[in-house]
Amino acid sequence: MFNQIILAGKIIEAPAFTTTPEGVVKCAIRIEVERPFRQRGSNEYGKDLFDISVWEGIAVTLKDTLEQGTIVMVRGRLEQDDYIDPNSGETVHYTKVIG
């Protein structure tokens, strides 16, 4: 079995660094990735947004180098999760990237 994703894009929000009660550092970034084709009837490329979590040693290393506007390449894996929407009571499924 194989679960790997490689993304190259621009950080669109300031990275958020947090530390768990156990002392593990986490970096959360959101990147914008251009699609490889133009939108129909336009000269603009479509864009996708990805939320990425980076943990421990790599997150510590990135703390002084990442900022909004930085171009990054991320290799990671996809992970599916869900939660219950407090307003509707429905289960919401989503996919996240663990870098």
Side-chain angles (χ1 to χ4, degrees), residues 47-60:
K47 296 176 182 164
D48 295 302
L49 301 177
F50 294 91
D51 292 319
I52 301 166
S53 297
V54 182
W55 294 86
E56 301 192 58
I58 296 173
V60 171

Side-chain angles (χ1 to χ4, degrees), residues 9-13 15 29-31 66-70 72:
K10 179 174 64 173
I11 297 176
I12 62 168
E13 296 175 0
I29 61 175
R30 175 173 276 188
I31 68 171
L66 291 183
E67 60 185 30
Q68 186 174 349
T70 303
V72 295

Side-chain angles (χ1 to χ4, degrees), residues 1 12 15-16 25 33 38 49 52 59 72-73 76 78 84-85 97 99:
M1 296 189 214
I12 62 168
V25 177
V33 178
R38 292 190 173 103
L49 301 177
I52 301 166
V72 295
M73 181 172 273
L78 296 175
I84 298 188
D85 184 317
V97 178

Side-chain angles (χ1 to χ4, degrees), residues 13-95:
E13 296 175 0
F17 292 90
T18 56
T19 304
T20 67
E22 296 81 22
V24 178
V25 177
K26 175 188 173 188
C27 172
I29 61 175
R30 175 173 276 188
I31 68 171
E32 176 182 81
V33 178
E34 272 191 1
R35 293 180 183 159
F37 51 87
R38 292 190 173 103
Q39 294 179 343
R40 185 174 300 164
S42 171
N43 282 335
E44 295 194 20
Y45 290 92
K47 296 176 182 164
D48 295 302
L49 301 177
F50 294 91
D51 292 319
I52 301 166
S53 297
V54 182
W55 294 86
E56 301 192 58
I58 296 173
V60 171
T61 302
L62 297 175
K63 193 164 190 160
D64 296 326
T65 59
L66 291 183
E67 60 185 30
Q68 186 174 349
T70 303
I71 303 294
V72 295
M73 181 172 273
V74 177
R75 186 182 81 195
R77 65 182 168 84
L78 296 175
E79 185 175 290
Q80 290 185 318
D81 209 345
D82 56 53
Y83 65 92
I84 298 188
D85 184 317
N87 297 322
S88 67
E90 294 182 21
T91 300
V92 178
H93 303 280
Y94 64 97
T95 302

